[in-house]
Amino acid sequence: MSRTSVQLYSVRDAFAADPSDTLRRLAAIGFTHVEPYGVLDNADVLRTALPEHGLTAPTAHAQLIGADQAAVFAAAAECGIEVVIDPYVDAERWRDPADIAATASALNAAARVAAGHGVRVGYHNHWWELASRIDGRSAFEVLADRLDPEVVLEVDTYWATVGGEDAPALLRRLGDRVHAIHVKDGGLARDASGQVPAGQGRVPVAEVLAAAPHALRVVEFDAYDGDLFAGLAESHAFLAEVAA
């Protein structure tokens, strides 16, 4: 099975306007997997359009903490999604060990609900989980220590780098906890400006891939000044070349 996917948030405007055509264009680039966002909102189209275009969604993003988790996991299961990843916990929740422990407890509890639907739970970082330090370690790694083994990590290697971490070293430390990585590149601006196709910016993408050889590789742009589909095609080609 291919280990390359694409986060649909990258093409969110196109997907909102014409989801089926957007999926068709991604499949034409060569993607066989996608990572949806907003599982509940998009479940109806994903259920039918993914198989129509020969795509699967092994992972997806959806807010879990404080949400109707049973509904999210039921929709995910119907769409063939294996891992639902909570994509965001506010920056101020990563400064106090007690808040980090509470987030871990909430994710662990969500994983128990998910198991009843045959789905797993994950967490995805931004820059602030890495920039925040607890006794010399990143708050993200403090979280990882408190998560049950059933909860996986999706490491956004761009945001990890922005947060001041050596992303390949972080991946090696986290090891098998890393189920997926976000592959993106750019000038490391906190506002996501200046992002470029993989291999063309300041993130050591080839080293990142080597550090997590078994992880699902999810290509993403938070923002991009050029043609998004062309940029995604360049990233896809780079990953294919590095893997060759």
Side-chain angles (χ1 to χ4, degrees):
M1 183 181 77
S2 168
R3 286 177 292 139
T4 303
S5 182
V6 56
Q7 168 57 250
L8 292 182
Y9 183 77
S10 307
V11 290
R12 53 196 176 275
D13 293 336
F15 186 76
D18 193 334
S20 183
D21 185 64
T22 300
L23 295 175
R24 177 193 64 78
R25 295 179 69 181
L26 294 173
I29 289 171
F31 289 106
T32 55
H33 308 303
V34 297
E35 185 173 77
Y37 59 92
V39 171
L40 276 178
D41 292 339
N42 295 309
D44 288 343
V45 67
L46 293 170
R47 193 180 297 113
T48 57
L50 288 176
E52 178 183 348
H53 298 291
L55 297 166
T56 63
T59 60
H61 280 195
Q63 196 70 41
L64 295 176
I65 298 175
D68 183 350
Q69 295 172 2
V72 171
F73 296 136
E78 290 176 5
C79 296
I81 295 165
E82 300 167 5
V83 180
V84 179
I85 298 164
D86 194 307
Y88 183 94
V89 171
D90 287 343
E92 61 267 20
R93 301 287 296 172
W94 296 95
R95 299 167 186 159
D96 187 324
D99 288 336
I100 299 170
T103 295
S105 294
L107 292 170
N108 291 339
R112 293 189 285 274
V113 178
H117 298 270
V119 177
R120 300 180 74 189
V121 163
Y123 183 74
H124 161 279
N125 64 283
H126 286 79
W127 62 264
W128 47 79
E129 296 95 334
L130 287 307
S132 177
R133 314 301 290 186
I134 307 294
D135 294 329
R137 302 175 70 221
S138 73
F140 188 57
E141 291 178 90
V142 173
L143 173 78
D145 286 347
R146 291 182 169 273
L147 294 175
D148 290 342
E150 293 77 17
V151 181
V152 301
L153 299 173
E154 179 175 63
V155 178
D156 188 308
T157 56
Y158 175 88
W159 288 128
T161 307
V162 172
E165 279 287 346
D166 178 326
L170 173 68
L171 291 168
R172 288 190 291 268
R173 290 197 301 272
L174 293 172
D176 292 341
R177 301 301 300 272
V178 181
H179 182 82
I181 58 176
H182 269 193
V183 179
K184 54 192 176 190
D185 210 343
L188 306 183
R190 286 187 175 182
D191 65 359
S193 61
Q195 290 187 358
V196 297
Q200 299 180 26
R202 293 175 57 191
V203 178
V205 179
E207 296 172 29
V208 160
L209 300 176
H214 303 298
L216 182 70
R217 302 163 172 184
V218 185
V219 176
E220 184 185 35
F221 288 107
D222 297 293
Y224 186 55
D225 291 335
D227 181 296
L228 276 165
F229 290 94
L232 291 170
E234 289 186 58
S235 289
H236 185 276
F238 177 83
L239 291 179
E241 180 180 347
V242 170

